[in-house]
Amino acid sequence: MRLVHTLRGGAIAVALAASAGGAGAAPYFQISLDDVAGQQETQSFAGTQIIPNGAQGFDNIFDNEMTITLVDPGAAPGTTYSVRFDYVGSDAEFVNTFSAVAGSLSRYNDGMACPAGSAPLGAGNLDFFGNYAATAYLDVTVGAVVPFQFTADVLDQGGNGSHVVRNGRTVEGAHMGAFFLRAGSFDFASFDTTGNVLAIGLTDGFLTGSSDDDHQDFMIRMSVVPEPATLTLLGAALAGLAGARRRRAR
């Protein structure tokens, strides 16, 4: 798995070799849960609603596992797709971070120390549908769990220590919600477990005995690029080659 940035010299042959074997045409995310009914989440929050109230999704609360896997039933073994992570924003009082294996999107409040290895992103624009503060791409193999995690309250401002929330099992009390986005809107009608665009939101506090269930303490929009990552690179390489030929022909 690797972050995808730009295609440089010599990458045409690599992309050609990597694209051999073909791939499916309809990748999507699959949410798997320990307790489907028990982990259903209908967003309900009295404050400012960035994930709107009534949106239906799932939560990995109470030490239940919620795993998000990249799926394409028609893909050849070893096929990879680019998964895109957009930083939407945060309204947290605590310092929280998000990381996706080789790259990270991190947030901290003004005047506070940024955790080592994290980039300051600010509050973001708080809009799941555009104008993102930062974007990163990661190649993920079909059938693999998308490897990301949040770290909640990394500076222990709340006095309960920091808490890691992985794509998988939550540690301690912080937790995250996952809500599918469809046709420019949240899903208000069904608890679907598949789709290709997700709104993922961290809740950095303990839920038990608390009303802190807003899923907006670090918000990421996660989407799967339709074409396999290697083929996307190949297309960029061929486009660059064609442009070079046109320039030489002038």
Side-chain angles (χ1 to χ4, degrees):
M1 298 177 184
R2 58 184 173 79
L3 279 178
V4 178
H5 292 291
T6 58
L7 190 68
R8 300 189 182 278
I12 294 176
V14 174
L16 282 168
S19 64
Y28 59 89
F29 297 122
Q30 170 74 55
I31 298 177
S32 300
L33 306 119
D34 284 348
D35 178 7
V36 175
Q39 290 176 254
Q40 290 177 347
E41 176 78 13
T42 300
Q43 180 74 357
S44 178
F45 180 62
T48 301
Q49 299 154 24
I50 303 169
I51 296 176
N53 280 355
Q56 296 185 344
F58 299 94
D59 197 303
N60 63 353
I61 194 171
F62 299 135
D63 202 32
N64 280 315
E65 186 163 328
M66 178 174 70
T67 304
I68 302 170
T69 303
L70 178 63
V71 176
D72 182 353
T79 297
T80 61
Y81 291 94
S82 280
V83 173
R84 172 173 170 159
F85 302 94
D86 295 304
Y87 175 61
V88 173
S90 170
D91 71 350
E93 295 181 4
F94 298 154
V95 174
N96 304 311
T97 67
F98 171 91
S99 62
V101 185
S104 65
L105 297 172
S106 302
R107 182 262 188 193
Y108 73 97
N109 296 58
D110 291 341
M112 296 181 182
C114 187
S118 296
L121 297 178
N125 74 323
L126 310 183
D127 182 359
F128 276 99
F129 302 101
N131 190 28
Y132 308 112
T135 295
Y137 295 86
L138 185 71
D139 278 7
V140 179
T141 303
V142 169
V145 172
V146 182
F148 68 84
Q149 72 176 40
F150 296 94
T151 303
D153 194 8
V154 296
L155 301 181
D156 190 19
Q157 297 159 268
N160 294 311
S162 61
H163 311 293
V164 177
V165 181
R166 295 185 179 90
N167 180 7
R169 189 167 297 281
T170 293
V171 179
E172 302 296 339
H175 54 101
M176 69 178 183
F179 304 81
F180 279 113
L181 306 177
R182 308 180 194 279
S185 176
F186 281 80
D187 188 346
F188 297 93
S190 60
F191 293 100
D192 286 339
T193 57
T194 60
N196 58 16
V197 182
L198 272 169
I200 301 173
L202 170 72
T203 294
D204 60 12
F206 292 89
L207 183 64
T208 305
S210 169
S211 60
D212 185 15
D213 191 24
D214 58 1
H215 301 103
Q216 56 197 44
D217 296 325
F218 201 121
M219 293 171 286
I220 293 290
R221 184 183 190 271
M222 189 171 80
S223 56
V224 54
V225 179
E227 297 80 16
T230 50
L231 295 183
T232 301
L233 290 177
L234 175 61
L238 293 179
L241 179 60
R245 286 177 174 171
R246 284 194 297 269
R247 287 192 295 271
R248 286 198 298 269
R250 291 176 181 172

